Every structure is written in structure tokens, then in C-alpha cells.
Amino acid sequence: MSSEFEKRLRNELVDTESRLDNQTTRQLNTARRRALEAPGQRHTTSLKDLLWPAAGMVTASLLVFTVLLSPVSPVTPTNKFAADDVSIEFENDLENELIEDLDFYYWLAENEANLKG
């Protein structure tokens, strides 16, 4: 369906082009020549235009290679884990508190007679 539309449109453009008067044809040719001869209107790709995209691609490639080729070492615990250290500290603190409490109870037992009021 679109190909029929395109063919019909192309035929209409060709017919319209062939029916242009001489003055319009001359004006179009003059405008075309001026556009082609105008300085600085042509866009050429220079090395400077390609520098940033090329640098970006090199950087991305190096990053990918670094990530893919870097050795992965498994994580192995050295001394059970830090939780063991915490539990040992907690046990030491608990023992110290019990000892302090025992000292208090010994003192209380010794001085119970003096504290009755």
C-alpha cells in the first residue's frame, strides 16, 4: 500500500518538475550553484571531530578489559569472624560485672548488722 503511494507521489513530482517554466528552472539552478560554491558550507569530518568519541571508546574498552580480566579472590574468614571477638568481649564484661556484684554481696553480708536502722 505504501509502495503504491510512493510511486504515485514520485510520478507527480516528476510531472511537476517537467512542467516548470524556464524562469523557475533558472532560479533553481542558480540557487543550487551558489549553495555548492559557498565556502564553509560543506561539512567534512576532521580528526578533531573524532577525538572525543574515540577517546571515550578507548576508555570504555580499557574499563571492560580491566573488569573482565581482573582476578577474583574468594573471601575467606581468617579467625572465625568478628562476631566471635564481640562475644568474647561480652563474656569478659559479664564476668567483670559478676565479680563486682560478688564483691558487693560480700560487703553487704559483712556489714548487714551495721546497716539495720
Side-chain angles (χ1 to χ4, degrees):
M1 183 173 179
S2 66
S3 63
E4 289 179 26
F5 173 73
E6 290 172 359
K7 287 178 184 177
R8 188 176 53 198
L9 187 60
R10 188 178 308 128
N11 290 335
E12 285 182 27
L13 287 173
V14 170
D15 291 342
T16 305
E17 183 184 12
S18 64
R19 285 186 270 137
L20 288 176
D21 59 355
N22 289 335
Q23 183 180 0
T24 306
T25 305
R26 271 188 247 120
Q27 287 175 349
L28 288 172
N29 286 336
T30 304
R32 187 178 300 127
R33 254 186 266 117
R34 277 191 215 144
L36 291 172
E37 293 171 357
Q41 296 295 326
R42 297 180 191 146
H43 182 72
T44 57
T45 304
S46 66
L47 183 62
K48 190 170 127 181
D49 294 335
L50 297 175
L51 184 63
W52 284 107
M57 289 301 294
V58 167
T59 304
S61 299
L62 289 175
L63 181 64
V64 167
F65 283 126
T66 302
V67 169
L68 291 177
L69 298 178
S70 64
V72 178
S73 61
V75 178
T76 56
T78 55
N79 286 336
K80 287 193 178 179
F81 193 61
D84 292 339
D85 295 337
V86 172
S87 66
I88 291 171
E89 288 179 21
F90 178 73
E91 289 173 6
N92 290 339
D93 290 342
L94 187 61
E95 286 177 15
N96 289 338
E97 285 183 30
L98 288 176
I99 290 172
E100 289 174 7
D101 287 344
L102 282 176
D103 289 342
F104 172 73
Y105 289 124
Y106 287 141
W107 175 84
L108 186 61
E110 290 174 3
N111 296 314
E112 188 174 5
N114 297 337
L115 292 176
K116 290 184 182 176

